[in-house]
């Protein structure tokens, strides 16, 4: 496929230099459906990025689109602050009946604002309020958002530097397998907690991703997560699981922590919770932590009612019968087998992942970028992740067909061969 980059345009003359994804994908996109996007020149692209995990159910999913159009056409509430609306009630009842009750999860639901970093900020604020302490422990290579509180518990040096001020009250600890298995889990963390001379302020909470997406698709073992939960309980710290990218079915179960059998104190969700790419986030927490005063944490756009509509439709359509998890795990096995074959022929690469999030890491970071660039030329959208952008990240929609998945994986194999 021959692609002509868009000419100098309003994007380059007016839009800020901060833009990023468009630099790797020099096209002007016009339409999208399912796992494919089409640019204004008619070129089709298979999407292995899914809006950075915001489109688990594909672009313009017809079930969700119908529910949204019907709601808009009847003049349903669009902007509702935190007012009670029929759309919010329908979502809350469906979320309780389809997600929380079957998993015996007792959570209260908070709508903190429309984005993932809003959810993280509210989780950090609540944890500090409950425990009366400022310090929060995070992990190496973590990513939790771009606002100041979220950046303080994010590991990436480039993103942290953008804050322009000191990022305080966050303490990083080694993520699972950070020392390649040579150091017992939590040895350093627990030693600091117990040593009165360590200088570590008693933390209010620990925040963790079960799979670090932006950090390089680093997968925490179930036993490591269970040990972390036990450590938090022993040391009177709250456990926050950031499930913004890995929740909503990305790893198989609706929540990524289900496999480990743990119940976090606080959980953050965003990205695919609305199902349609509409801004929405949730902060979930155990009832005894709900010590907020009315209006103590609010936001103008926390009542995105069209997002409530599509979110409820997603749960009814994809999570009421248990089939979504089985399909995702089956698709994940398909990806794993393909990556196994690719890496057998490519000694400088290794792979890891869960469900339908996978990463292929190259010894030479430039190789990962080259693979993604070649993929775009061949009509496949891929992105990099990791501290040096050394990992090719696979994040296709959960609704992708087996044929589409196979097509993308064959294209990836070709890109690896052609960039060797």
């Amino acid at each position: 496929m021959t692609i002509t980059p868009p000419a100098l345009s309003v994007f380059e003359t007016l839009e800020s230099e901060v833009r990023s994804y468009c630099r790797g994908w020099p096209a002007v996109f016009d339409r999208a459906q399912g796992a494919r996007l089409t640019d204004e020149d008619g070129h089709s692209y298979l999407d292995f990025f899914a809006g950075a995990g915001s489109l688990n159910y594909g672009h313009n999913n017809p079930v969700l689109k119908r529910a949204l159009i019907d709601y808009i056409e009847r003049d349903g509430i669009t902007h509702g602050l935190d007012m009670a609306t029929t759309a919010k009630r329908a979502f809350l009842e469906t979320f309780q009946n389809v997600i929380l009750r079957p998993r015996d999860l007792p959570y209260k639901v908070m709508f903190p604002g429309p984005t993932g970093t809003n959810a993280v900020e509210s989780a950090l604020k609540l944890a500090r309020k409950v425990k009366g302490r400022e310090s929060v422990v995070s992990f190496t290579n973590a990513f939790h958002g771009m606002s100041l509180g979220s950046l303080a518990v994010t590991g990436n040096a480039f993103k942290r530097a953008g804050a322009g001020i000191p990022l305080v009250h966050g303490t990083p600890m080694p993520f699972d397998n950070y020392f390649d298995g040579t150091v017992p889990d939590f040895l350093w963390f627990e030693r600091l907690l117990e040593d009165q001379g360590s200088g570590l302020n008693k933390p209010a909470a620990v925040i963790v991703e079960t799979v670090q997406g932006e950090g390089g698709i680093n997968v925490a073992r179930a036993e490591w997560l269970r040990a972390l939960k036990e450590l938090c309980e022993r040391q009177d710290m709250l456990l926050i699981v950031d499930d913004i990218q890995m929740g909503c079915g990305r790893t198989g179960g609706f929540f990524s922590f289900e496999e480990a059998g743990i119940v976090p104190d606080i959980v953050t969700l965003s990205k695919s919770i609305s199902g349609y790419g509409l801004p929405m986030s949730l902060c979930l927490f155990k009832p005894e932590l709900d010590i907020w005063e009315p209006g103590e944490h609010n936001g103008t756009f926390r009542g995105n009612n069209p997002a409530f509509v599509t979110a409820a439709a997603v749960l009814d359509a994809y999570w009421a019968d248990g089939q979504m998890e089985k399909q995702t795990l089956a698709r994940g096995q398909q990806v794993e087998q393909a990556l196994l074959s690719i890496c057998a022929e490519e000694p400088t690469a290794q792979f890891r992942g869960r469900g339908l999030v996978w990463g292929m890491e190259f010894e030479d970071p430039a190789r990962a970028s080259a693979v993604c660039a070649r993929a775009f030329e061949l009509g496949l959208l891929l992105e990099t992740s990791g501290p040096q952008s050394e990992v090719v990240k696979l994040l296709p929609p959960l609704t992708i067909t087996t044929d589409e998945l196979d097509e993308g994986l064959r294209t990836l194999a070709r890109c690896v061969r052609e960039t060797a």
Side-chain angles (χ1 to χ4, degrees), residues 26 74 89 102 123 133 135 182 210 238 253 276 279 285 294 301 310 328 331 336 370 378 384 399 406:
R74 73 168 184 82
R89 181 175 58 199
R133 309 178 204 132
S135 176
T182 61
T210 67
L238 298 178
Y276 204 74
F285 39 81
F301 293 101
T310 54
T328 297
R331 300 282 195 275
E336 184 175 12
L378 297 175
T384 60
T399 52
D406 183 62

Side-chain angles (χ1 to χ4, degrees), residues 365-382:
R367 182 80 178 282
S369 296
V371 167
C372 291
R374 181 58 179 145
F376 175 77
E377 294 173 351
L378 297 175
L380 176 66
L381 301 184
L382 286 170

Side-chain angles (χ1 to χ4, degrees), residues 324-396:
M324 187 83 261
E325 180 174 355
K326 294 177 182 177
Q327 177 176 301
T328 297
L329 294 175
R331 300 282 195 275
Q333 291 178 344
Q334 184 180 348
V335 175
E336 184 175 12
Q337 290 303 309
L339 294 181
L340 190 65
S341 297
I342 293 171
C343 289
E345 299 178 6
E346 178 49 71
T348 68
Q350 57 181 334
F351 69 94
R352 52 188 176 264
R354 275 180 61 195
L356 270 178
V357 53
W358 293 85
M360 179 180 291
E361 180 179 355
F362 291 90
E363 290 179 3
D364 178 8
R367 182 80 178 282
S369 296
V371 167
C372 291
R374 181 58 179 145
F376 175 77
E377 294 173 351
L378 297 175
L380 176 66
L381 301 184
L382 286 170
E383 253 295 343
T384 60
S385 71
Q388 297 179 293
S389 298
E390 73 277 19
V391 177
V392 174
K393 182 179 184 181
L394 280 66
L395 209 68

Side-chain angles (χ1 to χ4, degrees), residues 93-353:
E93 290 175 346
T94 306
F95 190 67
Q96 183 178 47
N97 293 331
V98 175
I99 301 300
L100 296 182
R101 279 181 179 158
R103 293 163 179 80
D104 198 25
L105 295 173
Y107 296 132
K108 297 289 289 291
V109 179
M110 176 181 177
F111 300 99
T115 71
T117 199
N118 292 138
V120 170
E121 294 284 358
S122 66
L124 298 177
K125 185 190 287 188
L126 179 60
R128 288 170 171 141
K129 179 178 173 66
V130 168
K131 292 300 181 183
R133 309 178 204 132
E134 296 176 352
S135 176
V136 173
V137 167
S138 57
F139 290 96
T140 49
N141 290 313
F143 179 80
H144 295 291
M146 297 298 284
S147 52
L148 294 180
S150 301
L151 275 179
V153 290
T154 287
N156 187 283
F158 173 72
K159 291 181 171 62
R160 288 175 64 90
I165 61 170
L167 297 170
V168 297
H169 309 307
T171 303
M173 290 292 167
F175 190 71
D176 190 16
N177 205 39
Y178 187 73
F179 294 109
D180 299 319
T182 61
V183 177
D185 295 338
F186 308 115
L187 175 67
W188 174 241
F189 190 2
E190 197 148 20
R191 183 74 58 86
L192 290 179
L193 288 169
E194 295 174 351
D195 183 357
Q196 295 302 305
S198 71
L200 175 65
N201 293 330
K202 180 77 170 182
V206 175
I207 185 167
V208 67
E209 304 155 275
T210 67
V211 180
Q212 294 181 327
E214 300 307 310
I217 317 301
N218 305 311
V219 182
R221 293 166 296 141
E223 56 266 35
W224 186 86
L225 292 168
R226 287 192 289 269
L228 176 60
K229 175 59 175 171
E230 292 168 3
L231 175 60
C232 288
E233 291 173 350
R234 286 198 310 273
Q235 296 289 345
D236 187 34
M237 302 179 297
L238 298 178
L239 178 61
I240 305 168
V241 168
D242 180 342
D243 235 2
I244 288 166
Q245 189 169 83
M246 298 305 157
C248 303
R250 176 54 58 180
T251 65
F254 186 84
F255 296 104
S256 70
F257 55 80
E258 291 180 50
E259 181 187 53
I262 62 172
V263 179
D265 299 293
I266 304 175
V267 179
T268 59
L269 289 174
S270 187
K271 291 194 182 285
S272 276
I273 187 62
S274 81
Y276 204 74
L278 300 174
M280 177 179 173
S281 76
L282 304 179
C283 185
L284 313 176
F285 39 81
K286 293 180 177 178
E288 61 269 24
L289 304 182
D290 193 10
I291 63 170
W292 292 113
E293 296 290 336
E296 191 174 8
H297 186 94
N298 56 20
T300 304
F301 293 101
R302 65 196 184 281
N304 187 352
N305 281 255
F308 296 156
V309 171
T310 54
V314 156
L315 300 181
D316 278 331
Y318 292 100
W319 290 99
D321 61 3
Q323 292 305 304
M324 187 83 261
E325 180 174 355
K326 294 177 182 177
Q327 177 176 301
T328 297
L329 294 175
R331 300 282 195 275
Q333 291 178 344
Q334 184 180 348
V335 175
E336 184 175 12
Q337 290 303 309
L339 294 181
L340 190 65
S341 297
I342 293 171
C343 289
E345 299 178 6
E346 178 49 71
T348 68
Q350 57 181 334
F351 69 94
R352 52 188 176 264

